[in-house]
Amino acid sequence: MKTIRLINEKLTNFKGIASGNFAFNGENTEIVADVMQGKSTIKDAYLWCLGLEIDNFYPVDKNNKIIEGLETKVELTLDIDGIEYILSRSAKVKYKNKVFDGYKKDMFEFDRVPCNTTEYKTKLCDLLG
């Protein structure tokens, strides 16, 4: 059985978090905060970076309106059996006739090397077993 530890999670324009750097240092961590303070956002960012589809991950302002032209990015540093890996996923909001039309293609990096969705998910599956 592999030992997987989350070392760091960095968010840029993910939901309501413009910029966040969360150091977990591979420790068991309990996130405690009031309602609507970003607890689920941290979890969603982690899952999104691992390739899961998350609804409404686009960047929003304080009034919950989509912010045009920003890139959403999540970067994870994982320690897997004593070896650190850096995984990242990013996407950019796109508009058609000034109406939100989803995202431009997802961009993935595995240890800072760009790869397509299939390569990224294959590497993750091979790594995590």
Side-chain angles (χ1 to χ4, degrees), residues 74-129:
V74 176
E75 180 179 283
L76 301 176
T77 303
L78 301 176
D79 177 307
I80 302 173
D81 288 339
I83 301 171
E84 280 195 8
Y85 297 90
I86 298 173
L87 312 173
S88 72
R89 180 179 184 179
S90 60
K92 192 171 183 180
V93 173
K94 75 176 179 180
Y95 284 79
K96 188 174 186 180
N97 299 325
K98 297 189 177 187
V99 175
F100 175 68
D101 190 40
Y103 273 85
K104 290 184 179 179
K105 186 178 176 184
D106 283 330
M107 294 155 279
F108 293 93
E109 289 183 1
F110 192 95
D111 271 346
R112 308 255 189 241
V113 177
C115 51
N116 66 36
T117 305
T118 303
E119 293 169 328
Y120 184 78
K121 290 183 179 183
T122 298
K123 288 180 180 188
L124 277 176
C125 287
D126 291 345
L127 182 64
L128 302 175

Side-chain angles (χ1 to χ4, degrees), residues 26-90:
E27 302 292 325
N28 289 335
T29 304
E30 183 176 355
I31 300 172
V32 179
D34 289 334
V35 174
M36 303 296 292
Q37 295 301 307
K39 299 178 302 291
S40 294
T41 298
I42 293 167
K43 175 201 60 139
D44 288 348
Y46 176 82
L47 295 173
W48 185 73
C49 189
L50 291 178
L52 278 78
E53 296 308 318
I54 302 294
D55 290 333
N56 304 329
F57 63 87
Y58 38 80
V60 294
D61 63 17
K62 291 181 182 182
N63 297 316
N64 215 29
K65 292 192 177 201
I66 298 169
I67 302 171
E68 186 174 352
L70 294 181
E71 180 182 52
T72 294
K73 184 172 184 178
V74 176
E75 180 179 283
L76 301 176
T77 303
L78 301 176
D79 177 307
I80 302 173
D81 288 339
I83 301 171
E84 280 195 8
Y85 297 90
I86 298 173
L87 312 173
S88 72
R89 180 179 184 179
S90 60

